[in-house]
Amino acid sequence: AVAKIVLNYLNTHGEKIQYYEVGASRYATTAKNSKAIKNVFKYIPVFLLNWLRIFEYYTVTLRMKWAGEVERSIFLDDDLVDYLTSIDNGQLIIIDDAIDSGATIKSLVKKIHSINVNIQVVIAVLVVTQNEPLVSPDICLYQNVLIRFPWSNDVKS
């Protein structure tokens, strides 16, 4: 959602930008995206949803401290792979809503560089929730803030 907004802005200002979506999965995503969990979130009071968000924050913090790096499954669009293999060098901007542990972005950058080591990667996010993520973005609007985005599973209508 965030990347498409940035893309639309740049396209209306004369920039010609290629756009690719990347898939990534982590341990909690499947559970949080289940229909049952989404239905439960509708009936949980906001104060409890806030508490769950904070609890998740501390869980990520502890996991980073004890487990170290965690690999993520990254799925690149075939067109992106073709693009990366066809150019000698260039710049790629990764746009995401949030960096929590940083493991997903780190795995993505590693995957991109495994295809083309000469690509310069710039990372832009709205928020970094942890004090010391595995990857620090080049551009960030907020630091150490928990944001409930409109596309979050636990958002109230």
Side-chain angles (χ1 to χ4, degrees):
V2 175
K4 284 191 176 182
I5 293 168
V6 173
L7 175 72
N8 289 338
Y9 174 83
L10 293 173
N11 282 338
T12 59
H13 288 81
E15 298 291 330
K16 179 65 178 150
I17 307 289
Q18 295 282 42
Y19 176 82
Y20 305 98
E21 290 194 12
V22 174
S25 62
R26 59 183 176 159
Y27 61 93
T29 303
T30 304
K32 285 166 62 173
N33 286 333
S34 76
K35 194 168 191 164
I37 294 294
K38 287 180 181 181
N39 284 332
V40 168
F41 283 156
K42 290 180 190 176
Y43 301 103
I44 296 176
V46 173
F47 80 90
L48 190 53
L49 291 173
N50 290 341
W51 183 87
L52 289 170
R53 283 261 171 148
I54 293 166
F55 178 76
E56 182 182 30
Y57 165 84
Y58 285 112
T59 303
V60 169
T61 302
L62 288 174
R63 191 175 314 108
M64 287 173 57
K65 185 176 182 179
W66 291 336
E69 291 190 37
V70 178
E71 281 289 318
R72 301 283 194 245
S73 298
I74 303 294
F75 311 98
L76 300 182
D77 181 276
D78 289 339
D79 291 335
L80 175 55
V81 174
D82 291 344
Y83 171 75
L84 291 172
T85 57
S86 70
I87 61 172
D88 292 329
N89 58 34
Q91 189 175 59
L92 188 74
I93 302 172
I94 297 171
I95 301 172
D96 203 354
D97 54 1
I99 289 181
D100 295 314
S101 70
T104 302
I105 296 290
K106 185 169 185 173
S107 294
L108 175 56
V109 171
K110 183 178 175 182
K111 179 103 171 182
I112 289 166
H113 283 150
S114 74
I115 297 168
N116 187 333
V117 72
N118 296 319
I119 294 291
Q120 178 190 3
V121 176
V122 175
I123 301 166
V125 298
L126 295 177
V127 63
V128 177
T129 63
Q130 298 289 320
N131 287 327
E132 296 179 29
L134 297 171
V135 173
S136 294
D138 301 290
I139 302 165
C140 172
L141 291 178
Y142 301 102
Q143 180 76 38
N144 297 325
V145 176
L146 297 176
I147 297 176
R148 183 169 286 116
F149 295 107
W151 52 87
S152 299
N153 289 332
D154 62 349
V155 72
K156 294 286 188 181
S157 298

